[in-house]
């Protein structure tokens, strides 16, 4: 944010300048993955069941009492922060540009099926709500008190088995899908159509890992190529997919 890196290490929140000078900003109750959301004025840190908000202008860190149990999945769109309640699958919305205020009536139900919400991602001003086997797409329609609605006619018959393994590459999302038979594939959304980008050999390897829930990924661009990097902590392995040449 404005050239400053904000990160969580253990239970400590730090800011790090480009000169690698670290400042302790406060402590948050974190024992696992942390989702960080920025709305232009505040930075939110979703630590699973809790939300901590750091306001840049006042440099104050507070814990926010939410009217729902958050799952840790959260995104920002059009100044609103959206957070997922896993089960039942509900999407909650903050006040505009204010992550500390949540209206108990500002929510929408992701009722495509009974599966819990795994994670969410924003691309092209659309919110992709990933479940285990399906993905819904939501857009800002300007309604009140909840401004978002499902995009009519769009329902993707593929989901994500690992919340940390969804990454954007250019104008597409790449994620790991596991079907009802337990077979895992790496998919890339082109438009709303999921396409398999993993090889059969890689899929066999993925099925042999102790778990797929701990998969994490990131993406980057270098020398005109878009890369998707997938790491399995339990499998002690890292895989790289070149989206530009479709090599892995």
């Amino acid at each position: 944010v404005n050239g400053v890196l904000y990160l969580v290490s253990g239970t400590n929140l730090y800011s790090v300048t480009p000169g690698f000078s670290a400042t302790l900003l406060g402590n948050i109750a974190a024992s696992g993955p942390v989702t960080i959301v920025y709305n232009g004025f505040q930075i939110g840190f979703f630590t699973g069941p809790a939300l901590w908000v750091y306001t840049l202008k006042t440099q104050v860190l507070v814990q926010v009492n939410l009217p729902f149990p958050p799952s840790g999945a959260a995104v920002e769109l059009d100044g609103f922060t959206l957070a997922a309640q896993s089960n039942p699958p509900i999407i909650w919305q903050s006040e505009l540009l204010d992550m500390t205020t949540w209206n108990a009536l500002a929510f929408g139900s992701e009722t495509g099926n009974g599966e819990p919400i795994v994670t969410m991602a924003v691309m092209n001003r659309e919110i992709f709500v990933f479940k285990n086997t399906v993905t819904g797409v939501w857009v800002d329609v300007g309604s009140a008190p909840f401004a978002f609605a499902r995009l009519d006619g769009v329902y993707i018959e593929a989901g994500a088995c690992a919340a940390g393994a969804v990454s954007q590459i250019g104008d597409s999302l790449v994620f790991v899908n596991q079907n009802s038979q337990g077979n895992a594939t790496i998919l890339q959304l082109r438009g709303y159509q999921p396409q398999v980008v993993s090889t059969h050999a890689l899929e066999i390897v993925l099925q042999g890992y102790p778990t797929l829930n701990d998969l994490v990924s990131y993406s980057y661009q270098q020398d005109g190529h878009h890369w998707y990097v997938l790491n399995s902590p339990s499998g002690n392995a890292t895989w790289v997919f070149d989206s530009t040449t479709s090599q892995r």
Side-chain angles (χ1 to χ4, degrees):
V1 178
N2 298 324
V4 178
L5 174 68
Y6 293 86
L7 60 89
V8 177
S9 177
T11 59
N12 296 325
L13 171 62
Y14 294 95
S15 65
V16 182
T17 67
F20 302 105
S21 175
T23 301
L24 178 64
L25 303 179
N27 301 102
I28 64 177
S31 59
V34 177
T35 301
I36 302 177
V37 179
Y38 174 56
N39 67 3
F41 299 90
Q42 303 164 320
I43 306 173
F45 302 88
F46 288 84
T47 62
L51 167 62
W52 297 77
V53 175
Y54 181 74
T55 301
L56 296 175
K57 184 176 181 179
T58 62
Q59 298 184 346
V60 173
L61 177 69
V62 298
Q63 183 175 1
V64 179
N65 292 321
L66 298 171
F68 62 96
S71 66
V75 294
E76 184 276 338
L77 181 61
D78 296 344
F80 296 104
T81 298
L82 296 111
Q85 176 179 332
S86 181
N87 197 10
I90 295 175
I91 304 170
W92 293 80
Q93 172 197 298
S94 74
E95 290 297 313
L96 182 65
L97 302 177
D98 184 7
M99 272 186 258
T100 65
T101 305
W102 298 74
N103 186 338
L105 299 178
F107 67 88
S109 298
E110 175 43 86
T111 55
N113 61 18
E115 294 178 348
I117 296 174
V118 175
T119 191
M120 299 188 293
V122 171
M123 184 176 65
N124 298 330
R125 296 190 66 247
E126 295 177 333
I127 304 167
F128 292 77
V129 182
F130 289 88
K131 296 184 176 183
N132 290 119
T133 62
V134 296
T135 300
V137 180
W138 291 64
V139 294
D140 187 347
V141 296
S143 55
F146 186 66
F148 298 84
R150 180 196 292 278
L151 187 60
D152 288 339
V154 176
Y155 202 63
I156 301 166
E157 295 292 338
C161 64
V166 179
S167 294
Q168 182 175 350
I169 298 180
D171 289 329
S172 67
L173 293 171
V174 181
F175 57 98
V176 181
N177 172 75
Q178 187 174 31
N179 63 23
S180 57
Q181 288 76 42
N183 298 321
T185 55
I186 301 176
L187 302 180
Q188 182 174 16
L189 278 182
R190 296 189 179 277
Y192 303 121
Q193 299 300 318
Q195 299 179 3
V196 177
V197 297
S198 54
T199 63
H200 291 304
L202 175 55
E203 292 161 8
I204 292 173
V205 172
L206 290 175
Q207 289 174 225
Y209 288 156
T211 180
L212 297 178
N213 295 333
D214 65 348
L215 292 173
V216 292
S217 70
Y218 65 91
S219 62
Y220 67 97
Q221 183 177 2
Q222 183 178 10
D223 298 330
H225 291 251
H226 292 276
W227 304 88
Y228 172 80
V229 182
L230 180 67
N231 175 257
S232 169
S234 61
N236 191 29
T238 298
W239 299 88
V240 180
F241 168 61
D242 183 351
S243 175
T244 306
T245 62
S246 299
Q247 293 182 352
R248 47 277 198 201

